[in-house]
Amino acid sequence: MKHGKKYVDSAKLIDSLKAYEPAEAIDLVLQTAKAKFDETIELSARLGVDPRHADQQVRGAVVLPNGTGRTVRVLVFAKGDKAKEAEAAGADFVGAEELVTRIQTENWFGFDVVVATPDMMGVVGRIGRVLGPKGLMPNPKSGTVTMDVARAIEEIKAGKVEYRVDKTGIVHCPIGKKSFDPAKLLENLTTLMEAIIKAKPAAAKGNYLRSVVLSSTMGPGVKVNALKF
């Protein structure tokens, strides 16, 4: 892959063989985030699991103490009092069958997270094939299938992120923006890593944290010493 001059210059600041202390890694990532927009800072953690096995899945959600820096649009599938509760809690879109129809007929995806009450999952299931591949399908493990819709919305708006191991055994998850104070990024990183470590499956054998890398949207990766979490 051919990289631009900014990327090449940034890469020169990083020792590719070294695993940096978390705070040092964050400082380096911020130094090498040279795009003109507010880049997202992302964690990529390679785990010692085989995601092909159901008992080695790693999935969950955690509220980052300093948020993600993103404005998250929340769609809620609910009826009656729960719909009113969702609206009062600040949901961007609230509805039932009519939202399913809009998604099916207009290919509309003007939202970032979907929350649903358990009784609405039969309705949501009709669009599971389009929500699933986009990572938008509500799931009890991530707290997006719940009767407490107000709390779910508040946590999502406050900076709740979902982490999930992909088919290659890697978890990708944002920890904030380039504009964040380094101390806040470190706090977010520590909170996320603690959640991932706590989610270690009993069936996982050997070294669980194989590698931890931080990067900005347009910048090179910086290895982090996984033993520091």
Side-chain angles (χ1 to χ4, degrees):
M1 183 183 291
K2 198 170 183 179
H3 293 292
K5 185 177 183 300
K6 285 183 180 178
Y7 183 99
V8 173
D9 288 344
S10 293
K12 290 176 183 176
L13 300 173
I14 300 165
D15 182 347
S16 61
L17 300 177
K18 181 178 177 180
Y20 292 88
E21 298 293 300
E24 192 179 3
I26 286 170
D27 286 341
L28 266 174
V29 168
L30 294 177
Q31 283 181 49
T32 55
K34 296 181 178 178
K36 292 182 180 178
F37 62 92
D38 194 9
E39 295 179 66
T40 295
I41 309 302
E42 185 176 84
L43 163 81
S44 299
R46 182 181 294 278
L47 305 181
V49 297
D50 186 344
R52 293 174 299 178
H53 299 294
D55 62 355
Q56 293 190 46
Q57 289 293 319
V58 177
R59 181 176 187 175
V62 62
V63 178
L64 299 182
N66 302 296
T68 62
R70 290 178 61 213
T71 299
V72 183
R73 299 163 297 176
V74 182
L75 181 152
V76 178
F77 284 100
K79 287 183 175 180
D81 289 343
K82 288 299 170 183
K84 293 176 184 176
E85 185 181 316
E87 289 172 352
D92 298 274
F93 309 98
V94 182
E97 287 84 354
E98 72 279 8
L99 290 177
V100 170
T101 302
R102 184 178 179 187
I103 292 167
Q104 288 175 324
T105 59
E106 300 178 22
N107 196 33
W108 172 68
F109 290 98
F111 47 90
D112 305 298
V113 180
V114 179
V115 174
T117 52
D119 58 301
M120 292 300 296
M121 286 306 292
V123 174
V124 179
R126 298 177 202 166
I127 48 173
R129 288 185 178 180
V130 293
L131 293 181
K134 293 179 179 292
L136 293 169
M137 191 67 181
N139 186 289
K141 288 185 178 179
S142 61
T144 48
V145 177
T146 177
M147 288 300 289
D148 194 350
V149 292
R151 181 180 177 186
I153 294 162
E154 287 163 8
E155 288 184 343
I156 292 165
K157 294 281 188 180
K160 186 176 185 178
V161 293
E162 185 177 354
Y163 57 87
R164 183 178 186 178
V165 68
D166 65 17
K167 61 183 180 181
T168 65
I170 300 175
V171 170
H172 298 280
C173 200
I175 63 163
K177 293 285 187 177
K178 179 175 70 174
S179 58
F180 278 28
D181 182 88
K184 291 186 175 181
L185 285 172
L186 180 59
E187 192 177 3
N188 279 358
L189 172 63
T190 303
T191 299
L192 176 59
M193 287 303 301
E194 286 174 351
I196 292 172
I197 292 167
K198 192 175 180 180
K200 179 183 178 179
K205 305 299 180 187
N207 185 15
Y208 179 56
L209 291 177
R210 297 284 174 87
S211 67
V212 178
V213 175
L214 291 178
S215 62
S216 61
T217 305
M218 304 295 289
V222 179
K223 292 179 184 175
V224 186
N225 186 349
L227 297 175
K228 296 298 179 178
F229 297 107

